[in-house]
Amino acid sequence: MNPILVALDVDSAARAMALADALRGSVGGYKIGKQLFTAEGPAVVRALTERGDRVFLDLKFHDIPNTVAGAVQSAVATGAWMVNVHASGGGVMMRAAADAATRAAAALGRPRPLVIGVTVLTSMTEAALAQVGVTRPVLEQVVHLARLAKQSGLDGVVASPQETAAIREACGEEFQIVTPGIRPVDQQGTDDQARTLTPAQAMKAGSTYLVIGRPITGAPNPREAAEQIAASL
Ligand code: C5P
């Protein structure tokens, strides 16, 4: 499938649906995060999934296992194709999320969503990790959490382009790696994303899916931008 997941980082369902309509067929799916979800709720997820679109519901659940299981169950009911949780919530929490996805999907007669872990947020530096008591280097912590995610039944992780190769090596070919921080060659270093790779470099490094926002949503013609990126892969 087309590995491009477009981040619908907009504040209204109307804008999200207009973008999705413009891009349908040129991308593999859409990512809905906390901004749009908090504004519009599950209705916007359903509006897309009912049209047959793949939705990555990026709410990064992190709570006690029972609460996360309930949240995943509710996410399955929206028809989400991919959901995520913080791997730092621990193995029991991740197992509860994976089991809830399996159970809820079976009960609703829907396909089971992929359950993905967030390892270390890319905004965290070594100093910021030390502040919360994690003293090993960032990459070691990322690989450690990716392994734990795999052992706990998750399907993959979200990872920065710099981390992809090490995770692929540690977790094997079947593990799904979802990579943000993607910029086409002519857009490297033009905004707040610091450590970027081009779409083709990220795929070569082992990414399964690419999360791309502004290079597509901020382009004068988003569909053309998406088609160019897809052609570059
Ligand atoms: O516009 P841009 O391509 O930077 O969008 C990237 C998307 O991926 C945003 O929704 C951002 O929140 C998300 N993301 C990220 N880095 C992470 C995790 C998620 O950029 N480590």
Side-chain angles (χ1 to χ4, degrees):
M1 79 173 248
N2 182 321
I4 302 171
L5 306 177
V6 177
L8 297 176
D9 293 326
V10 294
D11 57 8
S12 75
R15 292 189 60 199
M17 295 309 285
L19 263 173
D21 288 343
L23 291 167
R24 190 163 291 113
S26 65
V27 298
Y30 305 102
K31 181 174 87 71
I32 291 182
K34 290 189 171 90
Q35 181 185 13
L36 182 59
F37 189 84
T38 303
E40 299 283 1
V44 67
V45 182
R46 287 205 182 89
L48 291 170
T49 61
E50 281 166 7
R51 293 182 192 200
D53 293 327
R54 289 195 185 89
V55 175
F56 169 18
L57 188 57
D58 176 23
L59 297 179
K60 301 185 179 72
F61 299 133
H62 187 171
D63 210 311
I64 59 172
N66 187 59
T67 300
V68 168
V72 169
Q73 182 184 329
S74 295
V76 173
T78 67
W81 156 81
M82 177 185 280
V83 301
N84 62 359
V85 303
H86 271 285
S88 53
V92 175
M93 190 205 80
M94 286 191 276
R95 177 64 66 187
D99 289 350
T102 305
R103 261 199 326 272
L108 294 170
R110 291 177 180 272
R112 179 189 181 281
L114 295 166
V115 184
I116 300 291
V118 175
T119 57
V120 177
L121 292 170
T122 45
S123 54
M124 295 290 279
T125 59
E126 213 130 297
L129 270 187
Q131 238 177 12
V132 296
V134 177
T135 50
R136 55 154 83 98
V138 176
L139 186 62
E140 262 179 46
Q141 177 70 358
V142 165
V143 172
H144 172 76
L145 288 173
R147 282 205 176 96
L148 180 64
K150 187 178 177 192
Q151 285 159 16
S152 309
L154 296 206
D155 302 292
V157 290
V158 181
S160 88
Q162 281 65 35
E163 300 156 356
T164 308
I167 294 169
R168 177 64 65 218
E169 166 140 359
C171 297
E173 287 305 311
E174 298 303 310
F175 206 56
Q176 314 274 310
I177 305 181
V178 181
T179 311
I182 303 296
R183 289 294 176 268
V185 189
D186 57 343
Q187 288 177 44
Q188 301 279 334
T190 56
D191 56 35
D192 60 340
Q193 291 281 21
R195 298 184 308 272
T196 57
L197 285 186
T198 68
Q201 286 169 334
M203 293 304 289
K204 194 156 175 248
S207 298
T208 319
Y209 298 105
L210 308 176
V211 170
I212 306 180
R214 290 161 290 176
I216 292 174
T217 59
N221 182 336
R223 190 179 181 91
E224 206 172 276
E227 283 169 351
Q228 269 171 20
I229 291 173
S232 76
L233 298 178

